[in-house]
Amino acid sequence: MTMKQIMTMKQIRNAFIILWIVMGLAATPALASPTSFVKNILDEVMAVQNNPSLGESARAQAIRRVIQRSFDFPYMAQESLGGAYNNLSSGQRQEFTEVFSSLFQNSYTNMVLRFLKRETVEYGQETQRGGQAQVKTKLVRTNDTISVDYLLHKKGGGWLLYDVKVDGVSLLDKYKSGFAREIQARSFQSLIQKMKTQLKSVQ
């Protein structure tokens, strides 16, 4: 094989490598902005809420599926327990995460069904810092305006929600303070048992 033939093969190989890189970049979607991520969620929920062909149960199931894929429940479960999480066994952590996730999904689904229907959502400031973001919105109703801020962080190549602030009140902080009081007054076992009882009552 001559030097000319070798150079030609190298050129062909390089051309294929460049083409593969370009095609790969073109096929990889850019990371959506936090605002776009939140807007897609709310648009989907609104579409479910205003679909006349869906009954109440079907709407609840569809909204719950949106919530399941949009929140970082393992992170939220750990944060909601604060330092107490470090004292749990791996089995206790898994059990708590599962129960917490189900309770949050039920609670947030009910809140969405109740408050997010035909209201207008106004999108405000978006801030990003160190892989975390906050998207400020306002839920405009006929005689009321509710401030709703969404907190997100990057995970798995995309964004996931980890907290929602309604009129400045953090849902995650409310869980955290309530859990801390129960553990301090009684025990973690008392907390998990109350959570299971509450979960059974809403299923």
Side-chain angles (χ1 to χ4, degrees):
M1 184 177 291
T2 66
M3 183 61 67
K4 183 177 181 180
Q5 289 174 319
I6 292 174
M7 291 300 295
T8 301
M9 290 181 65
K10 285 184 178 180
Q11 290 171 351
I12 294 173
R13 182 196 63 184
N14 291 340
F16 272 113
I17 291 174
I18 293 171
L19 179 62
W20 177 78
I21 292 173
V22 171
M23 290 179 65
L25 290 174
T28 303
L31 178 66
S33 72
T35 299
S36 296
F37 180 81
V38 171
K39 187 176 187 303
N40 287 338
I41 293 172
L42 297 183
D43 285 349
E44 185 173 359
V45 167
M46 287 285 200
V48 170
Q49 282 281 66
N50 297 307
N51 186 341
S53 67
L54 296 178
E56 184 176 349
S57 177
R59 284 199 303 273
Q61 291 176 12
I63 291 171
R64 186 184 177 96
R65 286 194 292 271
V66 175
I67 293 170
Q68 284 175 340
R69 69 169 188 263
S70 303
F71 284 84
D72 187 352
F73 291 109
Y75 175 83
M76 293 169 66
Q78 181 173 347
E79 287 294 302
S80 71
L81 280 183
Y85 185 87
N86 298 324
N87 300 324
L88 303 181
S89 66
S90 59
Q92 287 175 316
R93 291 176 181 178
Q94 181 177 351
E95 179 184 32
F96 178 79
T97 299
E98 291 173 354
V99 176
F100 172 86
S101 301
S102 296
L103 275 177
F104 184 91
Q105 289 167 28
N106 285 342
S107 175
Y108 203 70
T109 295
N110 290 334
M111 187 169 70
V112 168
L113 286 170
R114 181 178 177 184
F115 291 107
L116 197 61
K117 294 182 179 179
R118 298 183 183 276
E119 292 80 1
T120 299
V121 179
E122 295 181 353
Y123 293 88
Q125 184 181 17
E126 172 192 306
T127 56
Q128 291 193 47
R129 189 175 187 180
Q132 294 187 322
Q134 179 175 263
V135 177
K136 291 182 173 291
T137 73
K138 288 183 179 180
L139 194 62
V140 181
R141 312 177 80 179
T142 303
N143 299 310
D144 193 17
T145 299
I146 303 172
S147 170
V148 184
D149 301 337
Y150 297 89
L151 279 66
L152 314 85
H153 60 195
K154 289 181 181 178
K155 188 170 183 180
W159 293 102
L160 283 178
L161 293 163
Y162 67 86
D163 196 8
V164 179
K165 293 181 179 180
V166 181
D167 281 338
V169 179
S170 161
L171 299 184
L172 191 56
D173 284 349
K174 288 183 66 176
Y175 280 112
K176 192 172 184 176
S177 59
F179 293 166
R181 285 195 300 270
E182 180 63 27
I183 292 174
Q184 185 175 5
R186 295 175 180 82
S187 65
F188 169 77
Q189 283 306 125
S190 173
L191 171 63
I192 195 71
Q193 190 56 50
K194 286 188 174 182
M195 293 172 68
K196 287 181 177 179
T197 300
Q198 183 180 353
L199 186 58
K200 287 181 179 179
S201 69
V202 296
Q203 285 180 333

